[in-house]
Amino acid sequence: MNLLDQWAERHIREAMRNGEFDKLKGQGQKLVLDDDSYVPPELRAGYRLLKNAGYLPPELEQRREAVQLNELLNSVEPCHPDRIALSKKLALLELKLQQAGVSTDFLRSDYGQHVIDRVEGK
């Protein structure tokens, strides 16, 4: 056990003795842990820190932006002057996602229904 681990363990034991962990929200409930077995051990703490701070990998950020753009595009009238610019921006994002190896099937309007049909065995 390295020095930092010993220091942390000492402070945890001291806090337990002082009752600082009593009556915490979720006490006695099962922990929901992320499956980070595919992340190298030396990167897990950093990835968890970034995830808890709300940061996403670039591909997921682009995916989220593409979903928002697609919803916006579906709500815009066909004759709206911004529709062409939105379509171009969405096409560019879709191309970037495809180049990164991310499937863009989620942008198709029938994709959701296809998944539901598949799950229901139709």
Side-chain angles (χ1 to χ4, degrees), residues 43-108:
L43 297 177
R44 288 181 186 160
Y47 276 32
R48 188 169 297 118
L49 181 69
L50 289 172
K51 179 183 174 198
N52 291 342
Y55 289 96
L56 293 174
E59 294 83 15
L60 290 180
E61 186 65 45
Q62 289 172 344
R63 185 183 191 282
R64 182 171 66 181
E65 186 179 349
V67 167
Q68 291 171 345
L69 266 175
N70 194 38
E71 290 173 357
L72 181 61
L73 196 58
N74 289 334
S75 67
V76 171
E77 295 292 325
C79 59
H80 195 279
D82 292 338
R83 187 171 178 82
I84 294 173
L86 289 171
S87 295
K88 287 180 181 180
K89 189 171 183 179
L90 182 59
L92 180 63
L93 266 175
E94 187 173 0
L95 182 62
K96 286 180 181 179
L97 286 167
Q98 288 171 348
Q99 288 175 339
V102 178
S103 172
T104 57
D105 290 342
F106 62 89
L107 294 173
R108 307 294 170 258

Side-chain angles (χ1 to χ4, degrees), residues 1-10:
M1 190 179 287
N2 68 30
L3 187 60
L4 184 60
D5 291 337
Q6 291 173 359
W7 179 82
E9 285 294 323
R10 185 177 48 138

